Structures are given as C-alpha cells and as structure tokens.
Amino acid sequence: MTKNNASIYSALAANLLIAVTKFIAGGFTNSSAMISEGIHSMVDTINQVLLLYGLKRSKKAPDSSRPFGYGKELYFWSFIVSILIFGLGGGISIYQGIQHMIEPEPISNPLVNYAVLGLCIVFEGWSLSVAIKEFNKVRNGMNWWQTIIKSKDPSSFLVLFEDGAAVMGLLIVLVFMLIGHNFDLDYMDGLASVLVGLLLVFVSAILARESRSLLMGEGIAPETKEKIRLLTEQDQTVVSVSNVMSTYQSPEEVLLMIMVVFKPEMDTEDITGAITRIREIIKKEFPFIRFVIIQPAEN
C-alpha cells in the first residue's frame, strides 16, 4: 500500500463495515435516517473502489492509442465519484427523508441506533483522521482551500471531503434522532435524512467542480509559466517566447508547448540544437513536466 493510497484503503474498510451495520440497524429500528446513512456509506465504499481503479488505470504506460499515457483516467473516475455522491448519496437520502416526513413512523428500539451511531462516529472519525494526515502532507504551508484549488490529485481531497461529510452526517442524524425521541417528533428522523442528503449534494457540487476542471485540462500555475519563459529566453538563440501552453495529464505529468521566436539568422541545425538544449533545461528544472514541445514562431 502506498502512502498516497492509505486514506483510500482506510476509508474503504471503514465504510464497508459501517454500511452493513447501518442497514441492519435501520431495518431493525425502522429509521429512514439510518437507511440514508447506510446508502451514504455504501456509495462511499463504491467511490473508494472507483478511485483505486482510476489510480491504477492512470499508471498504465503510454501506447500507440494513448501516446501521452492514461493519467486522465484518474480525473475521469474522480468526476464519476462526485456524480455518484450527488445522485445516489444525496438524491436517495433526500427522497427517503421526504417520504418519512410525509408519513412519519415511530422509531422502535432507538437505543440500537444510538449504539450504532456512536460506533460509526468512532470508525468514521478514525478514517477522517487518516485522510487529514495524508492531506496535510501535500499542503506545503497553504490553507486547506488553497490546497484543494491548486491540487492536481483529486484522490487526495475526495476522500477528505467524503469522510468529513460522513462524520457531519452522523452527527446530524444523532442530534435529530435525540430530539425526535425525547419530544415524540417522528418527522425528525425524515428531516435528518433530508439534511444529510443536502450535505452530500453540497459536497458533490464542490468535488464535481474541481474534478471537471482537471478533466477539461488545467494548466500549470502562472508563476511556473513565467519561470519557464525566463529560462527559455536566457538561451542566446531566443528572441522571445510568444506563448506557453500546458495541461496536466496526471498529477505528476504535464504536457508543455512553447512558441519560441528564434533569431532570424539561425539555420535549421542551430534551431534543432537550441530546442534540444531548452527542453533538457526545462525538464531538469521541472521534473513533473514530462512532455515538452517547442514550436518555432514568427516574430
């Protein structure tokens, strides 16, 4: 198990066990909120499997049909995960909650739910602590939101958001179940399910936004582009750099294209040598830039 996958494996193990427990408790006590939480955990389990599959596919070596590799498989499956959270997690929870608010039913044996919720909070809290620990390794002094916006590895923040939403969802269910039980308000169980669903919809919207941006082709940071431009223009054969274009193929691989204006007296052999020299300098300075295309341009 790699360090990058540690949070995914821990979340997968926790969610699988918790989902089964929640479904049993929900069916035994007739609680829509517990059933919704079971759906939430099952969706999270499926999501972790898809993330692991996406990570494995993204490591596949380039071939004739994918000369730049399969790195964007991770971005694709991360986007699918965000959609699943919205559709299966959020949508079904909201539907279940509304049904039980329209026709509320008393919860039998609520102590079973309390015990299950307590255990789930402990397990989900452990999984969240692992996700936070792994996420903190890539922050480099930035705050959480800046790290999420700038991160090119969706697996690092997807699990963090899922586990955070899971803990918050459990706390919502626990609070509303206590209120409903102590004040004989049967509809509170359904209301808790709706709130959990809305929480998942909110989380999925953020994750879908970030995953879509990566899938559509995010480029390198402006400051990195400026450094590349300066490095290129330091070569004695270069007049100027007219454009720097890039896209992330995977969290560790960037495709870079530079439009360079060379001195007019340069012949083909000189330009070819300059291109090779500039490419080596850039790849040495920025190891994550795997593909460098340098195109001569007119002044």
Side-chain angles (χ1 to χ4, degrees):
M1 182 189 305
T2 65
K3 289 183 179 180
N4 290 337
N5 294 351
S7 59
I8 302 178
Y9 280 108
S10 64
L12 174 60
N15 284 317
L16 182 60
L17 293 173
I18 291 170
V20 174
T21 305
K22 287 176 180 176
F23 279 129
I24 293 173
F28 185 70
T29 62
N30 196 33
S31 168
S32 67
M34 285 300 293
I35 295 294
S36 296
E37 275 295 311
I39 295 170
H40 179 184
S41 294
M42 184 56 66
V43 170
D44 283 351
T45 302
I46 296 170
N47 289 345
Q48 269 93 57
V49 172
L50 292 178
L51 277 179
L52 289 171
Y53 178 74
L55 282 167
K56 182 179 179 181
R57 289 280 299 174
S58 69
K59 303 297 183 184
K60 189 176 177 181
D63 52 35
S64 58
S65 62
R66 297 289 186 276
F68 293 117
Y70 289 77
K72 288 196 174 182
E73 286 269 5
L74 176 58
Y75 299 154
F76 170 76
W77 289 108
S78 298
F79 185 72
I80 295 298
V81 164
S82 66
I83 299 302
L84 285 176
I85 295 174
F86 177 88
L88 293 181
I92 296 177
S93 294
I94 292 172
Y95 173 78
Q96 285 271 349
I98 292 174
Q99 288 293 104
H100 279 73
M101 288 178 69
I102 295 173
E103 298 179 4
E105 297 180 14
I107 298 175
S108 58
N109 299 308
L111 292 179
V112 174
N113 282 342
Y114 296 147
V116 170
L117 285 171
L119 287 173
C120 289
I121 289 172
V122 171
F123 292 136
E124 292 283 14
W126 165 74
S127 181
L128 177 61
S129 68
V130 174
I132 291 173
K133 183 179 178 181
E134 293 298 312
F135 187 71
N136 282 336
K137 293 178 182 178
V138 300
R139 284 176 58 192
N140 295 323
M142 294 185 292
N143 63 44
W144 281 33
W145 185 246
Q146 287 176 327
T147 306
I148 291 168
I149 294 297
K150 293 187 176 183
S151 175
K152 309 305 175 186
D153 184 358
S155 64
S156 64
F157 57 79
L158 271 168
V159 176
L160 179 68
F161 269 69
E162 283 186 350
D163 288 345
V167 173
M168 289 183 64
L170 287 167
L171 293 175
I172 289 172
V173 171
L174 179 61
V175 169
F176 277 76
M177 194 171 289
L178 283 169
I179 294 173
H181 179 215
N182 286 290
F183 294 96
D184 293 325
L185 302 174
D186 295 334
Y187 67 87
M188 281 293 181
D189 184 64
L191 180 58
S193 181
V194 171
L195 292 177
V196 169
L198 291 174
L199 172 65
L200 294 178
V201 169
F202 174 72
V203 169
S204 72
I206 296 175
L207 296 179
R209 176 184 178 275
E210 293 304 311
S211 297
R212 175 185 175 276
S213 180
L214 290 167
L215 185 61
M216 294 298 290
E218 274 193 21
I220 55 178
E223 54 267 26
T224 305
K225 290 176 65 174
E226 181 62 18
K227 289 179 182 178
I228 290 171
R229 184 186 67 80
L230 292 174
L231 276 176
T232 304
E233 291 180 346
Q234 284 176 4
D235 193 276
Q236 59 184 0
T237 64
V238 175
V239 175
S240 64
V241 173
S242 60
N243 201 358
V244 178
M245 295 170 284
S246 63
T247 180
Y248 272 87
Q249 297 298 112
S250 76
E252 297 87 24
E253 294 182 354
V254 169
L255 169 62
L256 177 71
M257 183 174 181
I258 313 173
M259 306 296 290
V260 179
V261 178
F262 291 99
K263 292 180 178 179
E265 66 269 19
M266 301 287 293
D267 59 23
T268 302
E269 185 177 349
D270 291 334
I271 291 176
T272 301
I275 288 174
T276 301
R277 185 169 57 250
I278 294 168
R279 181 185 291 116
E280 290 175 354
I281 291 172
I282 292 173
K283 293 181 75 171
K284 183 178 180 181
E285 183 70 20
F286 303 99
F288 61 89
I289 299 179
R290 182 169 179 179
F291 309 100
V292 181
I293 301 171
I294 300 176
Q295 178 67 41
E298 294 183 0
N299 197 345

